[in-house]
């Protein structure tokens, strides 16, 4: 199933809630009569039932407690989570608690109140079981909202007994809780006392083992691992410095070698600070300058130039010797840095080996110290717990308290005639609403897209909301002023769908028709033409309602020739078309009613006319007369490429829509789709355009 089909199915399931509410308001007297009658009937029937009394006590689960001693309690208070609260409520309904309550009140007294007399012939076990079941049957333990308050409610025929049982459940619950806490504290104190003695013996043994091991280790290692670690840290710092100096010396040596190879001794003289190299380089430069002066007047064989060349060679030999000496000095510095680094690395290895030996010997000591520390900590913890636990059984208090005791009921809790009357009022109202809804669902007009599509089988192209305006001119002016309104978005949606139908067939003739007058077909046709013009399309609006046109009246069109003049051959087609400069569309108007021109409508000349118009205009929109009033629309439908059928919301009868569609089918034409017009936004179904227009 495509996304478009899925959207239609979802839209079909939507309910016109506001429309239904409006319909219910119109039938309020009918609904009220059924509600009041049902309430009166239940009031009378309830008054005949026997009375039942009810009383309730309230217990608040309270985890707060008073700290008498500054230590942790042996018996922890309740963590009031949801499961804990439900568990405590189950305890209040348990057979153990109810059995204790029966013992306190008395078996015979309870049997007299609950069973109308004692049952001495039964066994005690059977009597207890019967009483427990009877009390549970009428006992209700509930939590009040999200609070920690639990209400204990009991109902019965004896007003004095119901209060006694409700209070007895609360009292017995607190007594059982306190007894359980005290017993738990006594058991915990006895166990802790035994553990304290065992922990004391373990501490003495562990500390004696630590002292013996320390004496043995000092005699064997002759030093501590802390001193060795300090020496290792100092030597490691020196190694870092020596390694940095070695790296710097190697870098300088490599750089000077490269300079000597690439630039010679003269380049090396510039890179290092050496007075000898600088002097020799300056001497060579002076000799080269002097040779250049002689070269201007004499050749290379001249004695003076040969002498200068010999001096230059001698200076260059000295430069090479001095450069090699500088390189050798840098190489020696690198070797010294490497030897120093290697010496420090060897010393570090020796210290590490020593530390490893000391640490290995210390493992046993650390293990013994940990064992002694753990034993001592365990002993101190147990001793503190024992001190805190001693006497705590006398300080225990329950984790709950009674905040409201059950009182003698003054009035019965059931039956409640007024309450049942209120329920009857609601029940009768519901029935009345259901009947009103039934009548609403059987109405004869359309309100939703789903209804139209389900009954006619024709797609609803758009749902147009009710617009404000006394005439069509005001409506179209509002559309031009705000084309992104909800009405504009729906018209744009309709325009887009209709124009997309003609992607393979060129320009289109779109016929807009309806079953009866005043259903909004003229407004739809005019708005569709205006929205097509705003989209840059060339548009011609043909006002084909030759009997009762409202377009010329509302827009004030007074052409020299109109459609009737063209039909009666008083003017040609071009003369009959006028241009509305404000709207930006061309109009073939029906300025005056002319039934004789309507009688001349025929497809033999309408088809060529529409073909000619489609060659000139992108869109030709025809405002047709109502189908069920005159036959003109059926003739015009023969020459249209698309037919839009307008149905007015909650006004057009369903039978009229079916009759109009059948009439079109009878001449071999089917509609492209239906437009649901004048939809009340307060009661009609919502659609995409409304939310989109709000953003626009």
């Amino acid at each position: 199933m495509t996304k478009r089909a899925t959207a239609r199915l979802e839209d079909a399931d939507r309910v016109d809630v506001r429309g239904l509410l409006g319909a219910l308001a119109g039938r309020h007297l009918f609904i009220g009569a059924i509600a009041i009658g049902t309430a009166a009937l239940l009031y009378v029937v309830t008054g005949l039932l026997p009375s039942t009394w009810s009383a309730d006590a309230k217990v608040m689960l309270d985890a707060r407690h008073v700290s008498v001693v500054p230590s942790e309690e042996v018996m922890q208070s309740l963590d009031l989570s949801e499961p804990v609260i439900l568990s405590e409520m189950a305890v209040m309904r348990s057979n153990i608690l109810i059995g204790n309550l029966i013992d306190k009140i008395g078996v015979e007294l309870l049997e007299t109140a609950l069973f109308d007399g004692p049952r001495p012939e039964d066994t005690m076990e059977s009597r207890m079981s019967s009483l427990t079941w009877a009390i549970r049957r009428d006992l209700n333990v509930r939590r009040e909202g999200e609070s920690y308050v639990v209400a204990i409610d009991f109902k019965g025929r004896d007003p004095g007994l119901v209060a006694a049982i409700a209070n007895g459940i609360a009292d017995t619950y607190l007594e059982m809780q306190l007894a359980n806490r005290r017993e738990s504290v006594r058991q915990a104190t006895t166990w802790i006392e035994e553990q304290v003695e065992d922990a004391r013996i373990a501490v003495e043994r562990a500390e004696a083992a630590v002292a013996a091991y320390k004496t043995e280790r000092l005699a064997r290692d002759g030093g501590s691992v802390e001193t060795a670690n300090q020496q290792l840290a100092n030597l490691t710092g020196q190694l870092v410095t020596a390694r940095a100096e070695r790296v710097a010396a190697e870098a300088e040596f490599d750089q000077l070698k490269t300079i000597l190879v690439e630039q010679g001794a003269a380049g090396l003289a510039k890179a290092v600070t050496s007075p000898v190299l600088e002097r020799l380089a300056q001497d060579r430069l002076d000799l080269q300058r002097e040779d250049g002066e002689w070269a201007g007047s004499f050749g290379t064989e001249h004695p003076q130039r040969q002498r200068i060349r010999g001096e230059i060679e001698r200076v260059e030999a000295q430069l090479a010797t001095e450069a090699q000496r500088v390189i050798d000095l840098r190489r020696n510095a690198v070797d010294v840095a490497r030897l120093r680094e290697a010496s420090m690395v060897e010393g570090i290895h020796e210290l590490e080996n020593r530390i490893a030996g000391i640490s290995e010997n210390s493992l046993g000591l650390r293990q013994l110290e940990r064992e002694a520390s753990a034993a001592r900590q365990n002993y101190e913890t147990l001793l503190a717990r024992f001190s805190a636990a001693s006497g705590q059984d006398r300080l225990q208090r329950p984790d709950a308290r009674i905040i409201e005791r059950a009182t003698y009921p003054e009035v019965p809790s059931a039956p409640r005639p007024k309450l049942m009357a209120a329920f009857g009022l609601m029940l009768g109202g519901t029935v009345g609403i259901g009947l009103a809804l039934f009548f609403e669902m059987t109405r004869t007009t359309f309100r939703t897209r789903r209804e139209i599509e389900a009954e006619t089988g024709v797609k609803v192209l758009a749902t147009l909301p009710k617009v404000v305006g006394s005439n069509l001119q005001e409506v179209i002016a509002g559309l031009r002023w705000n084309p992104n309104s909800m009405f504009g978005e729906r018209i744009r949606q309709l325009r887009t769908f209709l124009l997309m139908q003609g992607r393979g067939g060129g320009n289109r003739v779109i016929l807009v028709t309806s079953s009866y007058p005043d259903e909004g077909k003229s407004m739809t046709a005019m708005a569709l033409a205006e929205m097509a013009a705003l989209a840059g399309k060339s548009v011609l609006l043909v006002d084909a309602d030759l009997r009762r046109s409202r377009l010329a009246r509302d827009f004030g069109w007074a052409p020299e020739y109109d459609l009737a003049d063209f039909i009666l051959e008083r003017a040609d087609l071009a003369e009959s078309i006028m241009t509305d400069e404000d709207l930006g569309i061309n109009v073939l108007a029906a300025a005056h009613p002319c039934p004789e021109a309507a009688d001349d409508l025929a497809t033999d000349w309408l088809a060529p006319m529409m073909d000619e118009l489609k060659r000139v205009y992108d869109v030709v929109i025809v405002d047709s007369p109502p189908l069920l009033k005159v036959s003109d629309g059926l003739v015009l439908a023969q020459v249209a490429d698309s037919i839009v059928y307008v149905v007015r919301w909650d006004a057009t009868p369903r039978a009229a829509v079916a009759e109009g569609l059948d009439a079109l089918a009878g001449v071999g034409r089917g509609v492209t789709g239906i437009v649901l017009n004048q939809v009340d936004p307060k009661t009609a179904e919502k659609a995409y355009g409304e939310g989109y227009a709000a953003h626009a």
Side-chain angles (χ1 to χ4, degrees), residues 464-487:
L464 303 182
K466 184 182 296 184
V467 293
V468 179
S470 60
N471 55 39
L472 290 178
Q473 188 175 16
E474 292 185 3
V475 173
I476 300 304
L479 179 62
R480 290 178 59 82
W481 178 75
N482 184 16
N484 291 324
S485 64
M486 181 167 60
F487 178 73

Side-chain angles (χ1 to χ4, degrees), residues 509 602-603 606-608 610 614 622 634-641 669:
V509 174
T603 58
L606 280 173
M610 291 301 175
K614 286 196 291 184
V622 181
L634 297 177
V635 179
L636 294 168
Q638 301 295 318
V639 298
D641 299 313
R669 295 309 309 266

Side-chain angles (χ1 to χ4, degrees), residues 23 45 102 114 178 189 208 261 326 351 436 457 463 523 543 598 635:
V45 172
I102 294 173
L114 299 177
L178 183 59
T189 303
V261 172
V326 171
L351 271 176
T463 56
M523 181 189 69
D543 184 4
V635 179

Side-chain angles (χ1 to χ4, degrees), residues 603-652:
T603 58
D604 55 350
W605 63 266
L606 280 173
M609 183 189 81
M610 291 301 175
D611 291 338
E612 181 179 352
L613 292 177
K614 286 196 291 184
R615 286 193 293 270
V616 178
Y617 297 97
D618 296 328
V619 185
V620 178
I621 299 176
V622 181
D623 181 14
S624 165
L627 290 178
L628 302 185
K629 291 297 182 180
V630 294
S631 61
D632 302 356
L634 297 177
V635 179
L636 294 168
Q638 301 295 318
V639 298
D641 299 313
S642 300
I643 300 176
V644 177
Y645 202 97
V646 178
V647 176
R648 184 160 182 169
W649 178 83
D650 203 22
T652 306

Side-chain angles (χ1 to χ4, degrees), residues 187-333:
Q187 293 177 0
T189 303
T190 302
W191 179 83
I192 293 174
E193 185 178 7
E194 296 173 355
Q195 296 298 314
V196 166
E197 181 61 24
D198 294 339
R200 184 186 63 78
I201 297 174
V203 168
E204 293 177 353
R205 292 175 180 174
E207 290 181 348
V210 169
Y213 193 89
K214 283 184 177 180
T215 303
E216 180 184 356
R217 195 198 67 171
L218 289 175
R220 183 172 59 249
D221 294 338
S224 66
V225 70
E226 290 78 9
T227 303
N229 284 330
Q230 182 63 38
Q231 294 175 355
L232 179 61
N234 295 336
L235 196 57
T236 301
Q238 296 176 10
L239 175 61
V240 172
T241 303
R243 187 165 291 164
E245 292 175 353
R246 187 262 301 167
V247 171
E250 289 178 346
E252 182 181 10
F253 175 66
D254 292 340
Q255 182 181 12
L256 293 179
K257 284 199 305 181
T258 301
I259 293 173
L260 179 63
V261 172
E262 295 178 354
Q263 302 179 17
L268 186 65
K270 297 177 181 179
V272 299
T273 303
S274 175
V276 176
L277 285 176
E278 293 175 357
R279 178 179 57 77
L280 291 174
Q282 184 62 40
D283 292 344
R284 188 182 69 169
L285 183 62
D286 294 340
L287 290 172
Q288 288 175 346
R289 188 181 301 110
E290 183 179 357
D291 181 64
E293 293 175 356
W294 282 94
S297 302
F298 302 98
T300 57
E301 301 301 328
H302 190 275
Q304 186 63 24
R305 291 197 63 191
Q306 290 182 357
R307 180 188 66 78
I308 293 173
R309 188 179 305 109
E311 288 294 327
I312 290 174
E313 291 175 354
R314 180 182 61 79
V315 170
E316 287 179 346
Q318 291 178 353
L319 270 172
T321 302
E322 183 61 22
Q324 187 61 43
R325 186 183 69 82
V326 171
I327 292 298
D328 292 340
L329 288 175
R330 296 300 189 273
R331 182 183 294 108
N332 292 336

Side-chain angles (χ1 to χ4, degrees), residues 366-378:
R366 286 197 294 271
Q367 178 64 27
L368 291 175
E369 289 176 342
R370 283 194 296 268
E371 293 176 358
S373 177
R376 188 181 305 108
Q377 183 177 2
N378 182 49

